[in-house]
Amino acid sequence: MCEQTLTSAKKNFVTIDDIDHMQNEDQVRPLKLSRWSLMARSNFHMAKFDLALSILEKYEQLAPSETKTQGPSCLSCATISELLRCKDEGNKAFKGGKYREAVEHYTNTLMQSIESKSFTAICLCNRTAARQALGEVIDAIEF
């Protein structure tokens, strides 16, 4: 569904070329923000965080300060960066054989957001692998 939404956003919203021909910045800004909001949210839900971050950076530069907290459902560069940081810390701990620490990082990540089902699935699998490495088979299969 997110991929279809992203395709729809690219096809049905005003294109950048169309926007360049518009004279009134007040007309252009809402169109850009609407399109970027939809594209960022779609990429976030598909766990394409690098793309979501690049779009959100544009969004945050253009959006009025009062809409940044309302922006794509409060999705922000800081939120995505923090989720990636926590997951990456878990990955480092796992690779270093620090499985208990990895479980804590993945759990922390999951507590912050489960909005992106793809990202949640990755973190759950990673936490399961860390728990399995600790010999905690029963805990490994819990949500």
Side-chain angles (χ1 to χ4, degrees):
M1 184 170 131
C2 289
E3 287 173 349
Q4 291 171 347
T5 303
L6 184 57
T7 301
S8 173
K10 289 178 181 174
K11 288 182 181 177
N12 295 324
F13 283 92
V14 175
T15 67
I16 298 300
D17 293 335
D18 293 339
I19 288 172
D20 290 340
H21 293 95
M22 297 174 95
Q23 300 297 322
N24 187 346
E25 181 59 33
D26 291 335
Q27 290 176 323
V28 174
R29 183 182 311 251
L31 295 171
K32 285 182 180 179
L33 292 175
S34 175
R35 182 176 183 186
W36 289 339
S37 172
L38 182 59
M39 291 172 67
R41 176 124 326 264
S42 294
N43 280 303
F44 175 76
H45 282 287
M46 293 184 295
K48 295 179 179 180
F49 287 174
D50 291 337
L51 288 171
L53 275 172
S54 69
I55 294 166
L56 281 171
E57 286 169 357
K58 293 177 191 176
Y59 181 93
E60 290 179 356
Q61 288 174 358
L62 190 63
S65 58
E66 65 272 8
T67 63
K68 288 183 183 177
T69 56
Q70 304 164 357
S73 299
C74 296
L75 186 61
S76 70
C77 291
T79 302
I80 293 175
S81 295
E82 179 62 13
L83 289 172
L84 289 174
R85 186 194 65 75
C86 288
K87 182 178 105 20
D88 290 344
E89 289 296 319
N91 291 348
K92 281 187 215 171
F94 185 88
K95 289 176 184 173
K98 300 176 184 175
Y99 303 118
R100 179 73 51 213
E101 184 181 328
V103 168
E104 290 172 15
H105 285 295
Y106 295 132
T107 299
N108 183 31
T109 305
L110 290 164
M111 289 172 51
Q112 291 182 45
S113 174
I114 57 170
E115 222 175 305
S116 172
K117 301 300 182 199
S118 299
F119 184 72
T120 300
I122 291 166
C123 291
L124 284 170
C125 288
N126 290 355
R127 186 176 70 174
T128 298
R131 284 185 169 161
Q132 185 177 8
L134 290 167
E136 300 173 354
V137 178
I138 299 297
D139 290 336
I141 59 174
E142 80 172 359
F143 176 67

